[in-house]
Amino acid sequence: MQEQKPRNAAKDFASGLLLVALGVFIVVDALHLKIYNTFIDAPGFFPTIVGSVIAVLGGILAGIGFKLGGLRELREVLTGTYLKKFATSESTVRVVILIAMMVIYIWVLLGRMHFIISTSIYLIGNFLYLKATKHWWLSVIIAVATAAIVYYAFKLGFGITML
């Protein structure tokens, strides 16, 4: 018989609560869409169903997490020592740096220079930071080729010019 992995009640509880909040947000937002004839053919009908399902499933997940002691675990997790350890961990710092690189790409590089150049810079930076290849020049070739392929695929295939 296969062994079951232990569940993390705090993650279940917190994720469930976030899903409930997301589902409620989707439903409320969908109900504000204009109704033309009836609600069934209104643009908010399907999002209302999806948001309701997300909220219900999130509620079930939060309930399971709560039953397994998720609230108690969550209080332990949110102590200062755990949060400090999390904020200074290598994986957290790595994710923050990658998000910062993405923000720079989106709000600084894109639109200010040609798509192939800005995307190549972004990809080269990512490849070098993540040590994706053994040689830096291979990262440059892959990044430039990828950016050019994406640019021309959109331009020739879809008729969309990327700036």
Side-chain angles (χ1 to χ4, degrees):
M1 189 194 273
Q2 208 175 19
E3 287 186 43
Q4 279 189 329
K5 292 182 181 179
R7 295 185 64 93
N8 192 331
K11 288 180 182 177
D12 288 347
F13 183 66
S15 299
L17 291 179
L18 287 173
L19 286 171
V20 168
L22 176 66
V24 169
F25 172 76
I26 291 170
V27 169
V28 169
D29 217 31
L31 291 175
H32 284 98
L33 293 173
K34 186 176 180 180
I35 298 173
Y36 296 104
N37 295 326
T38 64
F39 183 67
I40 291 178
D41 63 353
F45 179 68
F46 185 70
T48 301
I49 293 171
V50 171
S52 300
V53 169
I54 290 172
V56 168
L57 293 176
I60 293 169
L61 184 62
I64 291 170
F66 184 77
K67 267 188 187 176
L68 296 174
L71 191 58
R72 180 183 34 80
E73 259 186 50
L74 200 55
R75 284 188 191 132
E76 292 171 11
V77 166
L78 294 177
T79 61
T81 54
Y82 179 83
L83 290 176
K84 183 178 179 184
K85 186 174 132 185
F86 171 75
T88 57
S89 76
E90 183 182 333
S91 59
T92 302
V93 171
R94 189 173 216 167
V95 167
V96 169
I97 289 171
L98 289 171
I99 290 172
M101 291 170 76
M102 192 180 312
V103 166
I104 291 169
Y105 171 64
I106 292 169
W107 279 296
V108 176
L109 297 177
L110 278 180
R112 290 193 169 81
M113 57 183 68
H114 195 275
F115 177 82
I116 294 176
I117 296 170
S118 60
T119 303
S120 295
I121 292 170
Y122 170 70
L123 290 175
I124 291 168
N126 270 283
F127 290 162
L128 293 177
Y129 178 69
L130 296 172
K131 297 179 177 112
T133 61
K134 288 184 180 183
H135 306 288
W136 67 268
W137 52 268
L138 191 56
S139 294
V140 172
I141 292 170
I142 294 170
V144 173
T146 302
I149 289 168
V150 169
Y151 176 79
Y152 287 109
F154 274 85
K155 184 176 182 177
L156 301 174
F158 304 121
I160 299 172
T161 303
M162 314 275 273
L163 298 175

